[in-house]
Amino acid sequence: MNISTYTVKPKLPPVLEPLEEIANNLWLSWNYDAVQLFIRLDYDSWLLSKQSPVRTLGMVSQERLAKTAVDDSYLAALKEVNDRFQDYKKGETWYRGDHKEVVAYFSMEYGMDASLPIYSGGLGILSGDHMKTSSDLGLPLVGIGLLYRQGYFKQMLNADGFQQEGYPENDWYNMPVELKNGKDGQPLKISVDLAGSQAVAQIWEVKVGRSSLYLLDTNIEENTQDIRNVTAALYGGDKETRMQQEILLGIGGIRALRALGINPAATHMNEGHSAFLGLERVREVMEEKGFTFNEALEAVWPTNIFTTHTPVPAGHERFEITMMDKYFRSWPQVLGISWKDFLALGRIHAGDERETFCMTVLALKMAAYANGVARLHGVVSRDMWKDLWPGLPLSEVPIAHVTNGVHPRTWISSGMLDLLDRYFGPHFEDKPTDLEVWERMDRISDEELWRTHERRRERLVAFVRERMYEQYKRTGVAGNRMRQAEDALSPYALTLCFARRFATYKRGNLLLRDPERLLRLVRDNDRPVQLIFAGKAHPHDIPGKELIREIIHFADKYDVSSRIVFVENYDMNVGKYLTSGGDVWLNTPRRPMEASGTSGMKAAMNGVLNCSILDGWWDEAYNPEVGWAIGHGEEYLDEKLQDDVESKALYDLLEREIVPLFYQRGRDGLPREWIKRMKECMKQIGQSMSFHRTLMDYSNMFYFPALENYRRIVKDNYAVSKSLASYFAKLQQSWGSLKIAKIESNAKPVMQRGDTLTVTAFIDLGTVKPEEVLVELYYGNITSSLHEITDANKTEMKWIKSEGSLNLYQICVECNDTGMQGHTVRILPKHEALVHPYRSGFIKWA
């Protein structure tokens, strides 16, 4: 069948034309008054569109548009919103530099608004907040991702409470995405090789305030059906589909930026999915400059940033060598290296032919800058990947941490935001990087804060009842159960919320371990407690699905379905109701398996108090003024014992502290002590966990140094990179013969604090010059086992002279610490162009 296609757009009266630009920019996703314009335009269309502004515009009748065009109240609201939108786009920002060179941010998913369902969970929500905050800060950053025809699955629970999946198709022509065309007016396209087949992708743009996100789409006529399916579904298909998606994201993403005329001076890999971009960037430099692989790698390495999110080994993408052979067999020839050396880029142990190819390893080897997403996760990540830097002390493994945050104006409810804007002033919106504004929480009266929160709880209860009614109706439930949905939950009861991906290590059923204690809490008519659960299990995760069913069966078995509720199809919309309307946010992972987590931050900024295991972000944010900790950060070998101990600790907290504090009311009916904690929670978490703090950290620690590295590298036509490659080639040949012959010092069995310790090292450098290595004194406290130095200090030793074949280095340091002390000497690479001296295989200890 030959079908001619064309796009039909709504015909807006001239005075309403600003609505089209606003609808197509996700700035509205964190500006509720902009969303209100579409709700006011036609409420029925808004509901039918599933809260999509673009689709709403297309559904509203011309008659309704004509009436609105002469509504002075509506036009005044439109003008006010549009003026703010235009001012925002042109306004002064935190970043004052130019945008000639950009940071390209690569992520497999982006969660920015319910109207653009190309996300599954935490990683996508984080990427969405990253893009929004980048817009607020005015950073020279663009996003790269994939445009999934089906996005992530829709969760439906059957009558037995078992999760089923639906995959609705996305209609891009009624969503806030725009196809990018070239100068010839035709769609811009790029291609990548997928095991001998050329996959062609077109490029779509999503406008996010001042920033842009570009998405690749293979669902076009040039491709065969199997290639068209590469962007069919997020995390869909098999391992081969995953390989194809990651080639398209990494390699295709770089090519898309080139096609758009954008220079990715630095790249940020958000998880290992996009790590193949490192290969493409190296290939580009080799082709452009005629460089060797090592020379090109030294040009690219200082401008790559990698963030790992996964503390669980199984969560790191690995491909069998047969799969690598199928898709990358031609690449060693392109890069001028052997097949063995190519595979070594993705292996911890380069010579182990049984080891699979790991995307995280590739990213770590390709990037000068790497980080985990919370302080504890940084510790876990350094331990997980320490074997990539053999001989390097764990504390020096070059993986830092930047603790995640959330975009406040996206996640704080509209009612609470109105309250904060009123008391914080315009500074709160106009200068989001001034986090001291949260100190103004004390200006808000207890009464106003509590009433605002109570209204959010009322809305949450109404929302959940509506969802329950729809679910029961769909599954054929009738009679009493349908009536039960109409009065389930109480708008006045203490409400605990648990919402996240249902994986077994997150322990969504921890609270069910002692039915008697739990039922005593939820059946207490004087001080009632109610629980709302939500979350999806991965389609192939049967144990995760069983957890969901266990919760639903528990509520049915003990006839507490009106007090313990599971809300199906957890997404951004559901998340906003829960994080703003609950009273306590529960989080019960097995420490240290939660990398960071961000839902608790969203809750905290709405005044919802956290009760959580000391894991992820809560491990560093917790103090008794802002919530509760389950346990004291213990880690267990026996999981059953851990579940028993921590579930009892949770019941104790609820019975002895949380429930009594919530229901401790004065004459005016206000829980003053609870409100005091709410204020302190909002103040502290608002400052420390705002994504504006997160992105300023990324900028100062990684983005700005990487962009400066790029300018330095290209300034001398990549001479620095050639010099560095030549340096390491020479060092590689000589490293084995370097020798620390002896160490002398004036150390006595007992030294006094304030004494000067003088250490001299005699080093055989062979053909290496003294200025080509970093010789360090490594000193500090000695552990009781006398095997290692802890809390080490490092000081560069000064070259003094040559004595025959040996080079004499010396340093004087003051004895400041007491107790058993020790020192040794080590050698590391030293070159003016090195970002840091920690290169795999290049460390020599005395």
Side-chain angles (χ1 to χ4, degrees):
M1 186 185 298
N2 185 10
I3 301 176
S4 298
T5 61
Y6 44 88
T7 304
V8 178
K9 290 192 171 185
K11 185 179 180 182
L12 296 176
V15 291
L16 298 182
E17 283 176 357
L19 283 172
E20 186 166 8
E21 186 186 3
I22 294 169
N24 283 283
N25 192 309
L26 289 180
W27 174 83
L28 64 73
S29 68
W30 70 92
N31 286 275
Y32 188 68
D33 53 352
V35 173
Q36 281 283 83
L37 293 174
F38 298 91
I39 296 174
R40 282 182 64 181
L41 191 61
D42 190 322
Y43 185 64
D44 290 338
S45 295
W46 174 254
L47 293 179
L48 288 171
S49 76
K50 296 179 181 174
Q51 302 184 15
S52 166
V54 176
R55 189 177 286 118
T56 297
L57 282 184
M59 295 172 70
V60 177
S61 68
Q62 290 301 135
E63 182 184 7
R64 176 64 186 152
L65 289 172
K67 283 184 179 178
T68 307
V70 293
D71 182 338
D72 58 346
S73 170
Y74 186 90
L75 294 179
L78 173 57
K79 182 180 185 307
E80 184 181 345
V81 170
N82 190 47
D83 286 348
R84 276 185 49 238
F85 177 42
Q86 301 305 327
D87 288 345
Y88 174 85
K89 289 195 297 178
K90 293 179 287 193
E92 197 174 79
T93 62
W94 176 75
Y95 178 75
R96 304 290 175 84
D98 62 47
H99 286 65
K100 291 176 185 174
E101 293 113 10
V102 305
V103 177
Y105 176 80
F106 286 69
S107 185
M108 203 70 160
E109 49 173 304
Y110 291 87
M112 289 182 287
D113 190 62
S115 66
L116 190 65
I118 54 169
Y119 65 94
S120 70
L123 181 72
I125 300 298
L126 187 85
S127 301
D129 282 6
H130 201 109
M131 291 302 303
K132 293 173 183 180
T133 311
S134 166
S135 168
D136 286 346
L137 299 187
L139 286 177
L141 182 142
V142 297
I144 293 289
L146 303 181
L147 190 74
Y148 302 102
R149 196 169 75 238
Q150 295 176 333
Y152 204 49
F153 69 87
K154 179 181 178 182
Q155 179 194 51
M156 297 166 289
L157 303 180
N158 66 17
D160 189 41
F162 195 74
Q163 174 182 296
Q164 297 174 314
E165 295 86 31
Y167 294 89
E169 296 274 328
N170 287 322
D171 174 11
W172 301 124
Y173 295 93
N174 277 308
M175 290 186 176
V177 294
E178 179 187 358
L179 193 59
K180 297 302 291 180
N181 293 328
K183 292 178 181 177
D184 58 0
Q186 296 301 308
L188 273 178
K189 292 174 183 175
I190 57 98
S191 66
V192 293
D193 179 81
L194 296 180
S197 299
Q198 285 300 306
V200 180
Q202 58 188 7
I203 307 165
W204 298 75
E205 180 182 14
V206 180
K207 290 185 172 67
V208 189
R210 302 179 180 97
S211 301
S212 288
L213 165 65
Y214 297 101
L215 304 171
L216 301 180
D217 168 27
T218 62
N219 186 30
I220 53 178
E221 291 180 359
E222 288 97 316
N223 293 323
T224 58
Q225 189 58 49
D226 59 329
I227 298 295
R228 294 179 74 158
N229 286 339
V230 170
T231 54
L234 171 60
Y235 304 137
D238 54 15
K239 200 74 172 175
E240 188 148 11
T241 305
R242 193 66 164 259
M243 168 68 87
Q244 293 169 339
Q245 289 182 338
E246 296 187 2
I247 290 172
L248 181 64
L249 177 64
I251 297 172
I254 294 291
R255 294 178 185 178
L257 290 170
R258 297 295 183 203
L260 290 160
I262 295 170
N263 174 27
T267 57
H268 183 177
M269 297 169 272
N270 191 40
E271 262 305 359
H273 307 127
S274 60
F276 291 136
L277 70 81
L279 303 178
E280 175 64 7
R281 295 191 73 201
V282 166
R283 185 199 65 77
E284 281 186 338
V285 175
M286 290 179 68
E287 185 178 280
E288 181 187 344
K289 298 294 175 185
F291 279 9
T292 65
F293 173 78
N294 287 333
E295 289 169 341
L297 181 59
E298 296 299 348
V300 168
W301 180 80
T303 64
N304 280 341
I305 301 129
F306 169 59
T307 298
T308 175
H309 293 261
T310 313
V312 185
H316 293 270
E317 191 80 77
R318 288 184 175 272
F319 292 112
E320 295 295 332
I321 301 308
T322 51
M323 184 81 77
M324 292 301 299
D325 185 74
K326 179 176 179 180
Y327 283 88
F328 284 92
R329 193 66 200 192
S330 64
W331 271 80
Q333 185 177 353
V334 171
L335 299 176
I337 59 177
S338 69
W339 178 241
K340 181 180 178 182
D341 286 345
F342 179 82
L343 292 178
L345 294 170
R347 284 173 166 165
I348 297 174
H349 306 287
D352 184 356
E353 295 190 3
R354 295 168 300 174
E355 189 178 340
T356 53
F357 191 94
C358 178
M359 296 296 283
T360 300
V361 173
L362 176 62
L364 286 167
K365 288 186 175 182
M366 283 282 174
Y369 305 98
N371 70 283
V373 289
R375 184 176 61 198
L376 178 60
H377 184 230
V379 174
V380 171
S381 297
R382 287 189 286 277
D383 188 54
M384 279 185 76
W385 303 108
K386 63 180 182 290
D387 289 348
L388 281 170
W389 296 272
L392 194 63
L394 191 60
S395 62
E396 292 184 85
V397 169
I399 302 176
H401 81 271
V402 175
T403 302
N404 284 343
V406 297
H407 186 255
R409 299 193 83 84
T410 293
W411 295 104
I412 298 174
S413 71
S414 57
M416 187 65 75
L417 205 51
D418 286 344
L419 183 66
L420 298 183
D421 280 335
R422 199 159 72 242
Y423 281 92
F424 288 7
H427 204 57
F428 185 42
E429 181 176 9
D430 299 340
K431 301 285 183 185
T433 55
D434 182 6
L435 301 173
E436 291 296 313
V437 75
W438 285 94
E439 292 292 332
R440 298 179 182 179
M441 275 303 304
D442 295 329
R443 296 181 179 183
I444 302 174
S445 71
D446 289 358
E447 289 82 0
E448 280 193 282
L449 182 62
W450 188 245
R451 297 295 172 238
T452 301
H453 177 65
E454 284 197 310
R455 282 193 292 273
R456 292 311 311 176
R457 194 189 314 113
E458 289 165 8
R459 289 181 184 178
L460 169 61
V461 168
F463 171 77
V464 173
R465 287 173 178 175
E466 188 179 321
R467 278 297 186 96
M468 288 175 68
Y469 186 85
E470 290 172 1
Q471 181 182 334
Y472 289 166
K473 188 176 177 182
R474 194 195 71 247
T475 54
V477 172
N480 288 336
R481 288 298 294 274
M482 290 294 279
R483 284 189 289 276
Q484 194 177 59
E486 293 173 1
D487 64 355
L489 305 176
S490 163
Y492 312 108
L494 172 60
T495 304
L496 314 182
C497 294
F498 180 100
R500 55 202 20 89
R501 181 166 58 90
F502 263 74
T504 50
Y505 78 86
K506 292 180 183 281
R507 298 189 296 179
N509 61 345
L510 190 68
L511 205 49
L512 311 184
R513 290 183 71 81
D514 189 336
E516 186 179 335
R517 290 182 80 175
L518 178 58
L519 292 171
R520 202 159 52 234
L521 288 167
V522 299
R523 287 174 174 166
D524 187 333
N525 291 325
D526 296 325
R527 301 191 305 181
V529 175
Q530 57 195 15
L531 285 87
I532 303 176
F533 291 89
K536 296 177 178 178
H538 188 279
H540 304 308
D541 183 4
I542 301 303
K545 292 183 177 183
E546 287 297 338
L547 281 182
I548 295 172
R549 185 156 63 173
E550 182 184 348
I551 291 167
I552 292 165
H553 280 211
F554 182 96
D556 287 343
K557 177 181 177 181
Y558 294 104
D559 193 25
V560 287
S561 296
S562 61
R563 293 280 176 88
I564 299 178
V565 172
F566 193 99
V567 182
E568 66 180 2
N569 203 36
Y570 182 44
D571 61 6
M572 286 184 74
N573 187 41
V574 175
K576 287 181 178 182
Y577 276 99
L578 294 175
T579 54
S580 63
D583 296 299
V584 175
W585 194 260
L586 283 177
N587 188 30
T588 54
R590 283 200 177 90
R591 177 185 163 111
M593 297 175 78
E594 180 98 307
S596 171
T598 57
S599 57
M601 302 175 190
K602 299 160 193 164
M605 288 187 195
N606 279 288
V608 179
L609 303 180
N610 277 260
C611 178
S612 174
I613 299 292
L614 288 170
D615 198 7
W617 77 281
W618 192 237
D619 179 66
E620 64 196 81
Y622 164 73
N623 68 65
E625 295 177 319
V626 300
W628 294 272
I630 304 167
H632 302 283
E634 304 92 343
E635 293 176 23
Y636 297 76
L637 294 175
D638 185 335
E639 290 185 352
K640 185 179 183 301
L641 174 65
Q642 181 178 7
D643 292 350
D644 285 341
V645 170
E646 292 179 342
S647 64
K648 286 173 182 172
L650 176 54
Y651 292 125
D652 288 345
L653 280 174
L654 287 167
E655 292 167 349
R656 299 173 188 175
E657 296 188 37
I658 297 174
V659 174
L661 189 70
F662 183 82
Y663 285 106
Q664 180 185 318
R665 307 292 170 104
R667 285 185 181 179
D668 53 8
L670 294 179
R672 296 280 180 180
E673 285 301 312
W674 187 278
I675 296 169
K676 182 180 176 183
R677 286 205 191 195
M678 286 175 66
K679 285 184 175 180
E680 196 59 39
C681 172
M682 294 173 76
K683 182 194 300 183
Q684 291 189 27
I685 306 305
Q687 291 183 71
S688 64
M689 297 301 157
S690 163
F691 212 102
H692 297 88
R693 187 272 310 154
T694 300
L695 202 46
M696 286 190 288
D697 285 350
Y698 271 114
S699 298
N700 292 319
M701 292 170 64
F702 306 139
Y703 291 171
F704 297 160
L707 289 172
E708 185 56 41
N709 291 342
Y710 172 81
R711 295 181 196 110
R712 177 171 47 83
I713 288 165
V714 300
K715 184 172 66 175
D716 297 321
N717 199 25
Y718 293 87
V720 161
S721 307
K722 292 193 77 167
S723 169
L724 203 50
S726 174
Y727 165 76
F728 273 112
K730 175 184 176 182
L731 209 59
Q732 184 74 53
Q733 292 177 338
S734 309
W735 195 255
S737 61
L738 294 188
K739 185 179 179 184
I740 301 171
K742 64 176 178 176
I743 302 174
E744 295 178 351
S745 79
N746 67 338
K748 296 177 290 193
V750 178
M751 304 278 283
Q752 300 292 319
R753 176 184 276 164
D755 286 354
T756 297
L757 173 71
T758 302
V759 180
T760 306
F762 297 86
I763 300 176
D764 184 351
L765 293 177
T767 59
V768 177
K769 297 174 183 176
E771 64 269 21
E772 292 179 326
V773 290
L774 173 66
V775 178
E776 286 185 331
L777 179 69
Y778 189 86
Y779 61 105
N781 297 315
I782 295 288
T783 59
S784 56
S785 62
L786 302 181
H787 286 152
E788 62 179 301
I789 296 171
T790 61
D791 302 321
N793 299 292
K794 310 177 290 285
T795 305
E796 183 174 0
M797 300 182 73
K798 187 177 180 181
W799 182 83
I800 303 298
K801 62 180 179 177
S802 297
E803 286 190 359
S805 62
L806 298 180
N807 286 271
L808 190 150
Y809 286 80
Q810 197 171 74
I811 186 73
C812 296
V813 294
E814 190 174 296
C815 297
N816 291 319
D817 295 329
T818 58
M820 181 67 77
Q821 303 290 303
H823 64 261
T824 187
V825 172
R826 67 181 184 181
I827 308 174
L828 292 163
K830 184 179 182 181
H831 190 285
E832 62 181 0
L834 271 177
V835 173
H836 59 71
Y838 307 121
R839 289 295 187 96
S840 183
F842 289 101
I843 185 168
K844 181 85 68 174
W845 291 92

